[in-house]
Amino acid sequence: IPSCAIWDAIIAFRGALESSEGVLIIAGTGSVVYAQSRDGRQVRAAGWGPLVPSEWGADQIARMALAATVEVEDGRARPSPLTRRLRRITGLPDIFAFVNTTRSGVASLAAHVGRTALHDAMARKILRESAFQMSRAVCAVLRKADLHNRPANVSYAGSVFKSGKYVLGPLKEFLKKSCPKAVLKAPKHEPIYGAYLLARELDEGRIR
């Protein structure tokens, strides 16, 4: 049985776009923007590991939310639905122990930013900043892959996008301003379908 190791971003790319060209934004505990052109060019932005986390990943969103919560605890800001929620979850004043927990443990708090965004301006601000940083990375990889001068499909994957319109709305806005030929599209399939497509290509001898 033929087999090979393939970066999971490429697998997710194929599942989301069902194509050999375009851009995929991954935003979860691990985050990267990956682009591929039909001539085989592959480029990326971010995704360099925990020492240099991407500005739009779940861990960064959670850190921004925790920073806002600490400001409230210090008396530098007023409580909000988001900070009250995180204070309850983290059990302040034990937040200092929580901040020093695992990366995935901190990243899990990002979901609460999306859940409070409807009623919390700070949550919306955090998610808008995340979308802005995504757009910067998308424009960068489009240029690097020489895809910026023609329509290019951009899709997405990862837990951050469960925040829905609070991320996707600003992302569309920023892409329209910075790289107007980018076309944001919902993912066609889950990553598992990308694995199926690549396995079929491997079996057919199109991947070596």
Side-chain angles (χ1 to χ4, degrees):
I1 299 174
S3 62
C4 68
I6 296 178
W7 185 27
D8 57 359
I10 297 175
I11 294 172
F13 172 92
R14 290 300 303 275
L17 291 163
E18 202 177 337
S19 170
S20 59
E21 183 171 279
V23 178
L24 180 69
I25 308 166
I26 297 177
T29 306
S31 303
V32 67
V33 172
Y34 171 80
Q36 185 174 301
S37 61
R38 287 195 181 91
D39 62 8
R41 192 177 313 182
Q42 298 176 326
V43 299
R44 65 186 284 175
W48 302 115
L51 188 62
V52 190
S54 64
E55 297 92 335
W56 60 87
D59 49 350
Q60 183 63 14
I61 290 172
R63 286 189 179 97
M64 292 172 70
L66 284 171
T69 306
V70 169
E71 284 193 6
V72 172
E73 185 68 12
D74 290 345
R76 292 180 284 149
R78 292 184 176 182
S80 73
L82 173 62
T83 61
R84 282 192 289 268
R85 188 183 190 113
L86 292 191
R87 193 183 194 284
R88 185 171 64 251
I89 291 168
T90 57
L92 279 167
D94 295 327
I95 192 170
F96 302 105
F98 191 90
V99 168
N100 291 313
T101 189
T102 64
R103 182 185 180 197
S104 60
V106 171
S108 67
L109 295 180
H112 298 284
V113 180
R115 289 171 189 153
T116 56
L118 177 62
H119 304 291
D120 194 294
M122 175 56 70
R124 293 193 296 273
K125 180 180 179 182
I126 290 171
L127 294 173
R128 185 175 178 84
E129 173 62 20
S130 175
F132 173 66
Q133 297 299 340
M134 290 178 195
S135 72
R136 292 181 64 218
V138 169
C139 293
V141 297
L142 285 172
R143 290 191 297 269
K144 288 165 70 177
D146 198 23
L147 296 173
H148 59 293
N149 288 321
R150 63 180 188 269
N153 290 334
V154 178
S155 194
Y156 48 88
S159 60
V160 169
F161 292 102
K162 291 181 180 179
S163 296
K165 65 182 181 180
Y166 299 108
V167 173
L168 293 173
L171 179 57
K172 289 178 183 178
E173 173 191 334
F174 292 131
L175 288 177
K176 186 175 181 180
K177 291 178 181 177
S178 302
C179 36
K181 291 189 179 295
V183 181
L184 187 65
K185 293 189 172 184
K188 291 185 176 181
H189 305 283
E190 294 292 320
I192 188 66
Y193 187 75
Y196 160 73
L197 291 176
L198 290 165
R200 189 175 66 183
E201 291 176 13
L202 178 64
D203 187 57
E204 295 170 351
R206 289 187 281 158
I207 296 178
R208 298 186 184 279

